[in-house]
Amino acid sequence: MATQAANPVLTATFFRDDTVALVARPTEYAIVVRCWYDTMEDIPLPDTGDPLDRQLERGEYGITSFTNGQRAILKESDILLKDRAFRPGDVVKQNLTDVMSGIVTGTHCEVMLEHAITKQPLQGWVDVQYVELDTEVAPGDYVIYGNWIGTTFEETTCVTSAGKPSRIAEPGAHFLIGEKTTLMLSQEILDPRYLAFLGNQERVVIAIKPMAVAISWLAINQSLPPAQAASIPRPKRNWTGRELNELQRFVSTNYDSHRIMERVRFKDLEVARRRGVRPAVFPINRNTSISVDTLIVADTRMTVTVLWQDGTSSLHLSTNLVPHANIDEYDCWCVSRLLCHSESDWYTRPGDQVMYKDEDGPQAVVVQKAFPTHRIMEVMLSKDGTIQTVSALEVDPQGPLPSIYGVRQGDMVLINLENNGEAPPIVPRLGEIEPWTKTAGDGKNGWRTELAKLGLQALNRPDSGDGSLGRANMVEWVGEVITNRLDGRIEVMLPSGNTVIHPLNKLSLLIDDVDEMQLGDWFEAEEGEEGDDEMMDIEEARSDWSEGSWETVDHAEHDKDWAAEDEEEEPPVIDISQPDDVEMNGGEEPVAPGGFAQPSLERRPVVEPTPTPPRSAAVSPPPPPTLAEAPADSPNWERFVIQEQCPPDHFFANKESAVPGKAFLGRLQKEYKVLQSSLPETILVRAYEDRTDLLRCLILGPDNTPYEDAPFVIDWYLEPTFPQTPPLAHFHSWTNGNGRVNPNLYEEGKVCLSILNTWSGDRSESWSAARSSLLQAFVSIQGLVLVKEPWYCEPAYEKLRGTAEAEVSSRLYSEKAYVLSRGFVRHALEQLPGGLEAEVQWHYYDKGVLAKVIRDVIDLIAKSVSEPEGSTAPSDRAIPRLTMGGILPLRRTLTKLQAILDARTTPADAT
């Protein structure tokens, strides 16, 4: 292919958060913050002057230096991998082309250290179990007060500097021990006498202490009787000085990684002495001095324990593993939950409690083992403890939002007094992000200003003292998930470090994601604002960022069709005094009922848009429709028909119908004429005399795609403002809750397409009354959605075409699409779509397409069974072979399809 020749195979080498060394300066380390293959790389960046504010080319990475904070974009050849940090629960592979992945179950990190002040290095690697972060408290830490748990949202710190010793209150953790600073702050925060004392002298930070902390309280102890819990008030937000002694800090011990340039200290002073740590002593006055034993992490290395999908476990250097960056929906391990391949990737692993969905309905199961090459799992049925082998394509690890299935290693959970009220695998989510955390908090009376003043007051009161938080050693009602046991029980680590084991229904998942909650609120605040493409409904935003970029057919040629018709037929007279007749579309020219651009009062000519080629090199748009003579349809297969009544199973049948205006009816007449003459043979459309605002289309899957011979039924609603606004679409998804059949076609019925304005594509690809048509929408779905390699429809995935890992992911996705779409044939024959009953039966029975589908399935299964597992023999077929995970559900579908065909060919009165 030309595209592949221009872009040779290039595999991702570096990943976000990798520690790298610069080839030009090997002793200078940096962290990778952007990668050329990231999904978000397709979103335009504002020009802020930041060196990273441009789109990355293939093979480029954005980095931030640990040494001086400088940011730059470098080529892959300019950097070397130094270390790669993983957390327990991360999904990894030994090679991106491997099918099998694993879960990190444990990490072990060693560090090289040097003194923060003297820069004196310690000899040899130090196990991080002997050190801890040199902080009293930091934003995001869990804190406990009585029967409440919260998270630190902001702090004010006291900074003590060397030179002329001084103390200063500063909001936020902006200083690091050992760094040089002039300590110049704004007068609104800093007492003027300190400004006069310090001037612009450079000083070295020697100590940082918390003076005031703002805490967002998340949840109350769930092991209390309800009446008692209701009587305990929420603690206050701000804590200062010695008040901090009343708070307890929950420090996780499940993650032992440290970053270069982090400040740490030895937990045991005797161990520090034996390792050669010599504190730096700074006299404050005749009787007081500060001893600094803070260390800087100068280098890191990590080894990780990995539990592989086949149940084996092994130890690896982290740099010999790669994160599973392009996780497929049904990659045995995971289902993407919110933003595709971001902070919300979900996956299944041994011990996880998930839902298995087959012909008998959903069943709660506990995963025992996974076989990724075969795409099958061994699960224990929760109802009776029996072990069963199932297809990974029929396992749902997530549940419909907002439900959550099970808990995962690293989750914070509340331990309930009694049953949490849900049947496994569902786990309730508890916790409340307080409203004040969702505001900037700046300004004269903002909460951040208030916190800074409290810190300064505590600093200036001799009796207030420096605060320090204790450890929550006696708390037993909250903890961190350590292990999911194969019997379905959960091992939880308490703040004391002790572990307890509970069944799933004794736990609730603590909601603590402030960033996610704020993101949702910001989107909701902007919802419905016109002209703002960046801020939209949260579900639409998630779709835009993670679910697909859908091109439409070329508009330019289609404009000629409307223009040609304009020559044949005079458009209706437009009464500009009636808003129903003329609507404005964004900032475009007014559009007449027939769909023709109309000059404004200033008589400016309408400028034809420049055609925009499809972004996907793999997708060739279908030919534009032409106003040819109506095709000679079979009496049993009429492409466009206006029926008397809308069928009751139409999704929009119960939607109130408005009285159509002249513009609506005039445009609809033209749309009908084009549909009657230009529909391809594989698309049927039904309109209705009693509901001119509704349509239904049946689109057949194109040959040599995963969707071949499958029926796709989509219902359409034309709003009274049509054609100024695009039609609304609802896709009938018949996947039995087992995921999407295509990245564009959602289970809940959403159709993601630029021309429908459900994806924010280029302006020339969006709906326009002057350029777009219903035919264009129908043909776009068939030609640009139901494609041979649907995986590449995901945003930014097209740029991965030609990489080895993308080929694996694409092949697995296409198999899933094929298996699910065979079920569409079965569903359409068992529950005939209204208004298309005769056509569906004629197509599949009389024309013999059902028999062909059955033969194709039988042949493909036989070919897959006969070939060795993992065969990669070249083939031009969309589905060259199946895994066992695809064969299992497909055999059940095959049995049902054969029974349907046998019943049809057997006389009804046979005995």
Side-chain angles (χ1 to χ4, degrees):
M1 293 175 55
T3 302
Q4 291 176 320
N7 295 318
V9 173
L10 182 62
T11 300
T13 305
F14 302 99
F15 302 88
R16 280 179 183 264
D17 296 333
D18 278 355
T19 297
V20 296
L22 306 187
V23 172
R25 298 184 295 278
T27 59
E28 184 172 336
Y29 297 155
I31 183 172
V32 176
V33 294
R34 285 178 57 198
C35 304
W36 61 270
Y37 51 81
D38 285 345
T39 299
M40 298 296 287
E41 285 304 314
D42 275 358
I43 298 178
L45 297 174
D47 184 8
T48 64
D50 191 307
L52 296 189
D53 284 348
R54 73 163 173 82
Q55 300 300 116
L56 298 184
E57 301 294 334
R58 195 175 176 89
E60 289 186 332
Y61 297 86
I63 60 99
T64 299
S65 171
F66 283 122
T67 306
N68 52 29
Q70 291 184 351
R71 293 152 64 83
I73 294 175
L74 300 177
K75 294 184 180 299
E76 186 172 293
S77 57
D78 295 333
I79 53 180
L80 299 171
L81 179 62
K82 186 64 181 176
D83 197 16
R84 178 168 289 150
F86 291 110
R87 283 180 174 273
D90 284 348
V91 187
V92 297
K93 288 184 175 184
Q94 295 189 63
N95 190 295
L96 284 173
T97 59
D98 291 345
V99 175
M100 184 167 70
S101 57
I103 293 292
V104 175
T105 58
T107 61
H108 178 241
C109 185
E110 295 177 298
V111 294
M112 296 289 286
L113 301 172
E114 64 181 33
H115 197 282
I117 304 295
T118 67
K119 308 304 180 185
Q120 182 68 33
L122 273 65
Q123 297 301 314
W125 291 92
V126 177
D127 193 315
V128 295
Q129 66 176 313
Y130 298 115
V131 300
E132 62 185 357
L133 288 174
D134 189 21
T135 58
E136 292 285 347
V137 64
D141 284 352
Y142 291 109
V143 291
I144 296 172
Y145 176 72
N147 286 292
W148 281 86
I149 183 169
T151 183
T152 306
F153 196 77
E154 186 63 278
E155 62 176 327
T156 291
T157 55
C158 164
V159 178
T160 302
S161 67
K164 291 182 178 180
S166 57
R167 302 172 70 201
I168 186 170
E170 158 70 356
H174 299 307
F175 296 120
L176 296 173
I177 293 176
E179 76 171 343
K180 296 180 179 180
T181 177
T182 58
L183 297 176
M184 289 298 294
L185 302 178
S186 67
Q187 282 188 291
E188 294 180 359
I189 297 175
L190 183 64
D191 190 306
R193 67 175 182 269
Y194 285 96
L195 285 174
F197 176 72
L198 295 173
N200 288 314
Q201 301 174 49
E202 189 176 77
R203 301 178 181 279
V204 177
V205 177
I206 59 175
I208 300 173
K209 295 289 184 180
M211 299 301 293
V213 174
I215 300 172
S216 173
W217 296 101
L218 302 170
I220 197 169
N221 181 356
Q222 296 297 300
S223 68
L224 297 175
Q228 181 181 351
S231 66
I232 301 176
R234 183 185 295 269
K236 64 179 183 177
R237 178 178 70 199
N238 296 328
W239 298 70
T240 63
R242 288 197 177 95
E243 291 179 339
L244 298 176
N245 301 149
E246 303 175 40
L247 301 175
Q248 297 175 294
R249 186 182 179 196
F250 184 178
V251 181
S252 170
T253 61
N254 194 35
Y255 181 53
D256 62 359
S257 176
H258 288 292
R259 288 287 190 194
I260 290 175
M261 300 303 291
E262 279 184 341
R263 271 51 173 179
V264 299
R265 63 190 173 215
F266 277 92
K267 298 176 183 177
D268 189 318
L269 293 179
E270 180 59 28
V271 174
R273 187 187 64 81
R274 291 200 304 267
R275 291 304 304 256
V277 177
R278 299 292 181 262
V281 179
F282 296 89
I284 302 300
N285 52 46
R286 183 176 300 176
N287 301 315
T288 307
S289 64
I290 292 180
S291 178
V292 181
D293 57 5
T294 302
L295 304 164
I296 297 177
V297 176
D299 200 355
T300 64
R301 68 182 183 189
M302 175 180 280
T303 55
V304 297
T305 303
V306 180
L307 174 63
W308 300 101
Q309 288 173 304
D310 62 2
T312 62
S313 183
S314 55
L315 189 66
H316 302 264
L317 278 174
S318 64
T319 50
N320 291 336
L321 299 171
V322 295
H324 194 356
N326 297 310
I327 304 176
D328 179 76
E329 269 189 294
Y330 290 88
D331 192 9
C332 286
W333 281 111
C334 73
V335 169
S336 179
R337 180 169 157 233
L338 294 177
L339 300 176
C340 187
H341 315 321
S342 63
E343 70 275 13
S344 304
D345 289 331
W346 276 60
Y347 41 80
T348 59
R349 58 186 176 187
D352 277 354
Q353 302 205 27
V354 297
M355 195 71 80
Y356 168 55
K357 299 178 179 179
D358 67 351
E359 297 290 330
D360 299 325
Q363 301 181 65
V365 299
V366 180
V367 177
Q368 304 294 296
K369 191 181 298 185
F371 303 91
T373 304
H374 301 275
R375 297 188 94 181
I376 57 177
M377 292 181 182
E378 194 175 275
V379 301
M380 182 187 75
L381 303 184
S382 299
K383 62 182 180 181
D384 56 17
T386 58
I387 304 297
Q388 184 173 336
T389 299
V390 304
S391 169
L393 302 185
E394 297 180 300
V395 170
D396 179 7
Q398 166 193 310
L401 295 175
S403 297
I404 295 297
Y405 286 167
V407 294
R408 306 298 168 98
Q409 186 175 6
D411 283 346
M412 289 291 293
V413 293
L414 300 167
I415 301 172
N416 296 279
L417 177 65
E418 298 175 348
N419 190 302
N420 61 28
E422 299 285 355
I426 294 177
V427 179
R429 304 174 69 191
L430 295 180
E432 176 187 358
I433 305 298
E434 296 188 60
W436 61 269
T437 66
K438 305 169 188 176
T439 64
D442 298 323
K444 185 176 181 179
N445 298 315
W447 62 265
R448 281 192 172 91
T449 301
E450 177 187 350
L451 188 68
K453 291 179 180 178
L454 289 174
L456 189 58
Q457 292 170 7
L459 177 67
N460 294 329
R461 287 201 311 266
D463 61 337
S464 66
D466 297 338
S468 60
L469 278 66
R471 296 293 183 100
N473 292 330
M474 303 303 293
V475 175
E476 298 185 348
W477 48 270
V478 65
E480 181 179 2
V481 174
I482 300 300
T483 305
N484 289 33
R485 297 164 66 101
L486 295 182
D487 62 2
R489 294 184 297 167
I490 311 298
E491 186 173 348
V492 179
M493 183 189 71
L494 300 175
S496 64
N498 297 328
T499 59
V500 293
I501 298 174
H502 289 287
L504 191 65
N505 58 14
K506 285 276 289 183
L507 305 177
S508 297
L509 186 63
L510 178 65
I511 297 178
D512 63 347
D513 194 341
V514 176
D515 291 336
E516 181 181 326
M517 296 294 288
Q518 285 185 301
L519 180 68
D521 289 327
W522 291 335
F523 278 121
E524 289 169 8
E526 301 291 336
E527 181 178 359
E529 292 190 8
E530 295 183 4
D532 191 348
D533 292 333
E534 295 181 1
M535 304 301 277
M536 58 193 73
D537 183 290
I538 181 64
E539 293 302 326
E540 183 175 347
R542 289 169 178 161
S543 304
D544 290 346
W545 292 342
S546 65
E547 306 300 357
S549 174
W550 328 131
E551 296 78 14
T552 57
V553 295
D554 190 358
H555 292 292
E557 290 297 327
H558 191 60
D559 291 345
K560 299 177 182 178
D561 295 334
W562 292 119
E565 187 171 353
D566 189 22
E567 296 174 0
E568 298 173 6
E569 180 178 339
E570 289 292 326
V573 177
I574 303 172
D575 182 356
I576 60 173
S577 66
Q578 298 183 27
D580 284 344
D581 293 339
V582 179
E583 299 285 344
M584 295 298 295
N585 186 20
E588 298 181 1
E589 301 293 341
V591 179
F596 312 108
Q598 175 186 342
S600 68
L601 296 179
E602 299 175 359
R603 302 289 182 184
R604 290 174 297 178
V606 177
V607 180
E608 293 291 326
T610 301
T612 302
R615 289 190 294 267
S616 171
V619 177
S620 298
T626 57
L627 290 177
E629 295 183 2
D633 288 339
S634 161
N636 302 301
W637 191 257
E638 296 183 88
R639 303 179 205 190
F640 178 74
V641 176
I642 301 177
Q643 299 177 330
E644 291 185 4
Q645 292 184 327
C646 170
D649 63 344
H650 194 290
F651 181 78
F652 299 106
N654 294 325
K655 195 174 184 67
E656 184 177 352
S657 179
V659 177
K662 290 187 294 183
F664 180 97
L665 293 175
R667 175 59 175 264
L668 195 62
Q669 180 183 8
K670 298 179 182 296
E671 295 278 1
Y672 283 178
K673 184 176 182 180
V674 173
L675 292 175
Q676 185 176 17
S677 64
S678 304
L679 276 171
E681 186 178 358
T682 50
I683 298 179
L684 304 184
V685 176
R686 298 295 177 260
Y688 312 105
E689 292 179 358
D690 66 329
R691 290 296 301 267
T692 56
D693 56 343
L694 303 184
L695 297 99
R696 166 169 286 179
C697 73
L698 169 67
I699 302 175
L700 296 178
D703 291 344
N704 199 23
T705 70
Y707 312 106
E708 183 173 342
D709 296 322
F712 293 81
V713 175
I714 302 176
D715 289 340
W716 302 84
Y717 169 68
L718 309 181
E719 296 183 282
T721 52
F722 179 83
Q724 305 305 318
T725 54
L728 300 181
H730 176 83
F731 165 63
H732 288 268
S733 179
W734 300 323
T735 61
N736 194 34
N738 282 315
R740 272 180 273 166
V741 73
N742 182 282
N744 305 45
L745 305 175
Y746 288 43
E747 284 191 280
E748 66 270 22
K750 180 179 179 179
V751 178
C752 199
L753 202 66
S754 294
I755 196 173
L756 301 181
N757 292 354
T758 49
W759 163 255
S760 55
D762 294 340
R763 184 175 181 83
S764 62
E765 297 172 351
S766 301
W767 179 268
S768 165
R771 301 188 307 267
S772 308
S773 69
L774 294 175
L775 174 65
Q776 200 171 13
F778 303 157
V779 174
S780 293
I781 292 172
Q782 184 180 62
L784 298 172
V785 173
L786 304 177
V787 294
K788 183 177 180 179
E789 297 175 295
W791 186 81
Y792 291 105
C793 290
E794 293 282 6
Y797 282 15
E798 179 59 37
K799 69 173 69 173
L800 297 176
R801 187 180 292 276
T803 63
E805 63 270 26
E807 298 303 321
V808 173
S809 296
S810 178
R811 173 173 57 83
L812 295 176
Y813 194 97
S814 292
E815 178 191 56
K816 182 249 322 192
Y818 178 79
V819 172
L820 292 177
S821 62
R822 299 312 92 188
F824 279 36
V825 179
R826 172 191 168 186
H827 188 283
L829 292 171
E830 290 180 337
Q831 302 180 42
L832 296 168
L836 294 165
E837 297 92 340
E839 289 82 355
V840 168
Q841 294 182 84
W842 176 83
H843 180 74
Y844 285 102
Y845 295 138
D846 301 337
K847 194 177 178 182
V849 175
L850 176 56
K852 174 183 177 294
V853 169
I854 292 174
R855 284 196 309 272
D856 290 346
V857 170
I858 292 174
D859 292 345
L860 185 56
I861 290 177
K863 180 175 183 291
S864 302
V865 171
S866 63
E867 288 184 354
E869 196 69 57
S871 173
T872 57
S875 173
D876 62 350
R877 297 297 302 167
I879 310 296
R881 65 180 313 280
L882 300 168
T883 65
M884 184 55 65
I887 292 174
L888 284 178
L890 198 55
R891 279 177 171 161
R892 290 200 305 270
T893 300
L894 179 62
T895 300
K896 297 292 184 179
L897 291 175
Q898 188 63 57
I900 292 171
L901 181 61
D902 292 344
R904 175 73 176 190
T905 56
T906 302
D909 57 351
T911 57

